[in-house]
Amino acid sequence: MTGRARGSTVVAALLITTILATLALAILSQRVTQRSLVKARFLQSQARALAWAGLEDARVKLMKSPSFPPNQMAAVSTFSYSESFLDDDGTRVGTYHVEVDQRFAGEATIRSTAWLQGESAASLTLRGELDLALERPAVENLAGAVGIEERPFSWIRVEVVDGQANLE
């Protein structure tokens, strides 16, 4: 092999190596981006589940306890409380803060904000309107029987108010 042929072989090998390295970096960069998107979605899902837990906690307390929310006076129509969730080893995983507003008769507006703790944090706020009526007007079912529909404490509407994931 002549010196010229060896030189062109080295140049070709360097060119191929550069192209392969560029492709490897592009694929690696794409994987990092995908991983961070998946992590953000996972954190938002956890925050949504925790916020739903707050809404359901307030709904069940309203349904089961006539003394909830406490200190119900004519002048006070809102009440709030917070709950924290711990891991099996005692580490705090997240917290939800619930605000119950009963200014309108037969209806409660419940706002639940969830925060996840840790390296990467996420938060989400859900607002739900809860129908407190125990009975509904008479309805006719598929069999033709007329009766009162019983669906106490059902959600009228639930919506996401705010949410974010902080990835560090």
Side-chain angles (χ1 to χ4, degrees):
M1 211 182 224
T2 65
R4 189 174 247 186
R6 260 189 287 185
S8 64
T9 303
V10 170
V11 169
L14 284 173
L15 183 61
I16 290 171
T17 303
T18 303
I19 290 171
L20 290 175
T22 303
L23 286 173
L25 285 173
I27 290 171
L28 182 64
S29 172
Q30 183 182 16
R31 293 291 176 184
V32 168
T33 302
Q34 285 176 346
R35 185 172 189 272
S36 99
L37 285 174
V38 167
K39 188 174 183 180
R41 287 188 182 145
F42 176 73
L43 289 172
Q44 283 300 102
S45 294
Q46 281 188 321
R48 180 183 299 269
L50 190 56
W52 261 109
L55 288 179
E56 284 297 310
D57 182 58
R59 183 184 73 82
V60 169
K61 284 178 179 175
L62 283 166
M63 186 171 65
K64 296 205 176 236
S65 175
S67 63
F68 182 83
N71 300 328
Q72 268 192 329
M73 298 178 218
V76 179
S77 60
T78 60
F79 173 73
S80 64
Y81 65 96
S82 296
E83 301 246 353
S84 293
F85 289 88
L86 305 178
D87 214 346
D88 291 337
D89 61 357
T91 306
R92 187 183 342 203
V93 176
T95 303
Y96 65 68
H97 179 77
V98 175
E99 298 169 8
V100 179
D101 183 355
Q102 290 183 287
R103 281 184 276 186
F104 305 106
E107 206 175 280
T109 300
I110 301 172
R111 187 178 176 104
S112 176
T113 302
W115 297 278
L116 299 176
Q117 276 80 29
E119 282 179 25
S120 303
S123 66
L124 184 82
T125 301
L126 294 176
R127 185 175 68 79
E129 294 175 16
L130 186 63
D131 186 355
L132 301 176
L134 294 175
E135 296 180 340
R136 308 278 186 300
V139 293
E140 185 174 335
N141 67 15
L142 294 176
V146 176
I148 295 176
E149 179 184 15
E150 292 186 24
R151 292 182 315 161
F153 296 90
S154 59
W155 293 109
I156 298 169
R157 178 177 63 204
V158 175
E159 62 189 0
V160 175
V161 176
D162 186 29
Q164 65 182 5
N166 301 321
L167 299 175
E168 297 173 358

